[in-house]
């Protein structure tokens, strides 16, 4: 089994790379793909960069070039509602909130001529993530919809709208595009995010303050996730 691990920023991958046995580094589309072993699992880890196009290109390279079996996306997100910095969100649904084809009578967020409105993670990976998160006791774990767009949300009004319209509990800039590419290629995926800010007018300040804490929390979840995956693979 080979896992593809995607993060958007260097801060989100530093802890992983510090503890990964790297065999080879390869560059595609300006991205460095680290091929090695992490927590006993063959892993291709990569910093995709910020935004939907970067993350979509990255995901397709992982699938087409490195032939990964599963895709995992970890990192940080803005919390919506009662979530606080350091909390963790497991996505059970992902939507691109900035897609607007309403002029053709499509609902906001719906990609025209695609057979689904939202992208749902692999059931087995979702269950494994739930088990992994049960071992965490220093912050709250949530499960719900994460919305993605090429916007850094720093407005309470916009955050509240995302909650009302999409039922979102977190927002970020890569997850749903990763999910779309995985969905189209029929590759299992999971998206797990740690909250770095509250997507309000103080978001930029909170982001700078909490990004390292949020990244560390996301990495702890990842480690537990890989332990669970390793157990399942050993039992097969």
């Amino acid at each position: 089994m080979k896992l593809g691990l995607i993060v958007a920023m260097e801060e989100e991958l530093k802890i992983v790379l510090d503890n990964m046995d790297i065999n080879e580094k390869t560059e595609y589309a300006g991205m460095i793909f680290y091929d090695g072993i992490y927590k006993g699992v063959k892993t291709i880890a990569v910093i995709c960069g910020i935004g939907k196009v970067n993350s979509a290109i990255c995901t397709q390279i992982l699938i087409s070039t490195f032939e990964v079996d599963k895709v995992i996306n970890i990192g940080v997100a803005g919390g919506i509602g009662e979530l606080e910095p350091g909390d963790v969100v497991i996505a059970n649904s992902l939507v691109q909130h900035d897609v607007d084809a309403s002029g053709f009578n499509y609902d906001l967020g719906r990609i025209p001529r695609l057979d689904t409105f939202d992208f749902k993670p692999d059931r087995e990976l979702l269950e494994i993530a739930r088990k992994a998160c049960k071992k965490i006791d220093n912050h709250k774990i949530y499960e719900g919809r994460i919305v993605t767009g090429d916007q850094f949300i720093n407005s309470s009004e916009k955050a509240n709208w995302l909650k009302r319209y999409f039922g979102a509990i977190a927002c970020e800039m890569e997850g749903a595009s990763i999910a779309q590419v995985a969905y189209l290629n029929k590759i299992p995926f999971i998206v797990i995010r740690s909250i770095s800010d509250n997507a309000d007018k103080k978001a930029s300040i909170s982001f700078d303050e909490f990004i390292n804490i949020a990244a560390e929390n996301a990495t702890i979840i990842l480690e537990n996730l890989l332990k669970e995956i390793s157990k399942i693979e050993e039992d097969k």
Side-chain angles (χ1 to χ4, degrees), residues 41-62:
V41 179
K42 186 169 180 56
T43 302
I44 310 296
V46 56
I47 302 167
C48 69
I50 297 171
K52 296 197 301 181
V53 174
N54 283 330
S55 56
I57 292 171
C58 179
T59 307
Q60 192 62 57
I61 291 172
L62 280 173

Side-chain angles (χ1 to χ4, degrees), residues 62-216:
L62 280 173
I63 295 169
S64 299
T65 302
F66 291 95
E67 299 181 335
V68 298
D69 301 298
K70 304 177 192 298
V71 171
I72 297 174
N73 172 225
I74 65 167
V76 301
I80 298 175
E82 62 184 9
L83 280 73
E84 297 179 355
D87 290 343
V88 172
V89 176
I90 305 170
N92 60 20
S93 168
L94 294 112
V95 175
Q96 295 178 43
H97 68 77
D98 59 350
V99 171
D100 184 353
S102 57
F104 292 100
N105 296 317
Y106 286 96
D107 292 336
L108 292 178
R110 188 170 192 97
I111 300 169
R113 302 187 181 185
L114 198 62
D115 61 357
T116 185
F117 171 72
D118 64 341
F119 303 99
K120 293 181 170 60
D122 175 70
R123 291 183 179 179
E124 183 180 49
L125 283 176
L126 182 58
E127 184 57 35
I128 292 172
R130 289 166 179 159
K131 291 179 180 179
C133 288
K134 286 180 180 179
K135 299 179 181 180
I136 303 299
D137 56 12
N138 63 340
H139 47 257
K140 294 179 181 179
I141 308 296
Y142 294 87
E143 184 177 322
R145 174 171 288 169
I146 294 178
V147 292
T148 299
D150 282 324
Q151 304 167 4
F152 180 74
I153 305 300
N154 59 352
S155 161
S156 297
E157 290 77 17
K158 185 60 179 286
N160 290 334
W161 179 80
L162 293 174
K163 182 178 180 179
R164 287 196 311 272
Y165 192 90
F166 294 105
I169 64 172
C171 55
E172 35 86 300
M173 301 177 68
E174 298 83 26
S177 54
I178 291 170
Q180 180 181 350
V181 175
Y183 173 81
L184 293 173
N185 285 275
K186 297 180 172 57
I187 296 293
F189 72 89
I190 190 77
V191 175
I192 303 172
R193 295 291 183 132
S194 186
I195 301 304
S196 61
D197 60 83
N198 290 107
D200 56 17
K201 63 182 179 181
K202 298 179 181 179
S204 58
I205 298 173
S206 298
F207 181 86
D208 291 336
E209 181 179 355
F210 290 106
I211 182 172
N212 290 325
I213 295 173
E216 183 176 353

Side-chain angles (χ1 to χ4, degrees), residues 28-40:
Y28 291 99
M31 305 171 195
I32 305 298
F33 293 79
Y34 299 87
D35 186 337
I37 305 296
Y38 182 66
K39 300 301 176 182

